[in-house]
Amino acid sequence: PRGAQRPGLSSTHGASRQSHGHFPLGPHPASGFFHQVREPHSSLWPHPGGIEARSPDSLPAWSIPEKDAGKLYNTCAVFGPDGTLLVKHRKLHLFDIDVPGKITFQESETLSPGDSFSTFDTPYCSVGLGICYDIRFSELAQIYAQRGCQLLVYPGAFNLTTGPAHWELLQRGRAVDNQVYVATASPARDEKASYVAWGHSTVVSPWGEVLAKAGTEETIVYADIDLKKLAEIRQQIPIFRQKRSDLYAVEAKKS
């Protein structure tokens, strides 16, 4: 498998853990690997790196191919310390783009989109999940913040066109707009791959500070998730109670 960049997140109230951040047997989640999923009775396919089910905390940092009812999904699965599946997030927004002369990609030719929100609780805070292209949609992050999430996690594989322009910018935007922590996990860069990932797994604070960032190589980075600091920021700049619900609203149409 390709190399992984592994973000280690430690709460100020608990121990740190490491999470795998690579995609299985291919440079991008919509690569030809998805076409190889053929077993009719399989549901979730663990990647070759395995699942750290016995870790003291539960934090996702990868996505895997999932086949269900004849459809393929890009799925992030979260397992608890006892190995119980807590939640799985099927990527909501498919990566169909065309930047002339640079990159054209049609993820919808292989994958189907998910249709539900994905959050889970830890002993420290609630966490909201997205995958890669999901991070571009601010409404998803806003709904997660409305539901009490204080950390948003996005495994993703931005490329060499969108990565340098938008990868960090989007993370900082989601973090500041919603006053939450944002963590991303990228594959390490493989220059020989048909789809070359940008890399740079990152953790951003609710103030928009980059707390930790990997380079392009396989590595581990660490950052503290300081919920006291988050509460201070929300008190100092109280945007949640200043929203003009008489003029606008972002609301979920499904649970």
Side-chain angles (χ1 to χ4, degrees), residues 27 29 42 50 56 69 100 108 161 178 191 204 211 239 252:
S42 65
S108 62
T161 298
N178 300 285
E191 299 286 357
V204 179
L211 301 179
I239 59 174

Side-chain angles (χ1 to χ4, degrees), residues 229-243:
K229 180 67 173 178
L230 181 149
E232 290 175 352
I233 291 171
R234 290 185 175 184
Q235 183 178 19
Q236 294 164 359
I237 307 177
I239 59 174
F240 289 102
R241 65 172 182 261
Q242 295 172 333
K243 289 183 181 292

Side-chain angles (χ1 to χ4, degrees), residues 142-195:
Q142 289 178 59
I143 288 169
Y144 283 155
Q146 290 172 8
R147 295 186 176 190
C149 294
Q150 296 172 300
L151 169 65
L152 306 183
V153 178
Y154 299 89
F158 273 41
N159 52 71
L160 299 188
T161 298
T162 61
H166 302 148
W167 178 243
E168 182 180 309
L169 175 66
L170 286 166
Q171 295 174 67
R172 297 181 70 189
R174 297 296 82 84
V176 171
D177 284 350
N178 300 285
Q179 296 179 327
V180 295
Y181 284 90
V182 171
T184 57
S186 170
R189 190 177 302 177
D190 181 356
E191 299 286 357
K192 298 179 181 179
S194 58
Y195 183 100

Side-chain angles (χ1 to χ4, degrees), residues 10 12 25 32-33 46 56 61 73 82 98 122 126 160 173 179 191 194 207 214 227 230 240:
S10 67
T12 53
L25 305 180
F33 179 79
Y73 300 93
D82 61 354
D98 182 14
T122 74
S126 292
L160 299 188
Q179 296 179 327
E191 299 286 357
S194 58
W207 195 255
L227 300 182
L230 181 149
F240 289 102

Side-chain angles (χ1 to χ4, degrees), residues 48-124:
I51 296 169
E52 296 178 283
R54 300 188 183 278
S55 170
D57 302 317
S58 304
L59 284 177
W62 69 89
S63 68
I64 56 178
E66 177 195 12
K67 186 175 183 180
D68 184 24
K71 294 183 178 181
L72 295 176
Y73 300 93
N74 189 353
T75 299
C76 177
V78 182
F79 294 84
D82 61 354
T84 301
L85 178 63
L86 301 180
V87 68
K88 61 179 180 180
H89 176 74
R90 290 172 172 172
K91 186 177 182 181
L92 299 177
H93 306 90
L94 298 184
F95 186 56
D96 289 0
I97 71 163
D98 182 14
V99 182
K102 294 186 177 181
I103 182 171
T104 298
F105 211 95
Q106 293 292 316
E107 201 170 29
S108 62
E109 291 181 356
T110 303
L111 302 177
S112 296
D115 61 2
S116 61
F117 302 102
S118 305
T119 65
F120 66 97
D121 293 325
T122 74
Y124 317 113

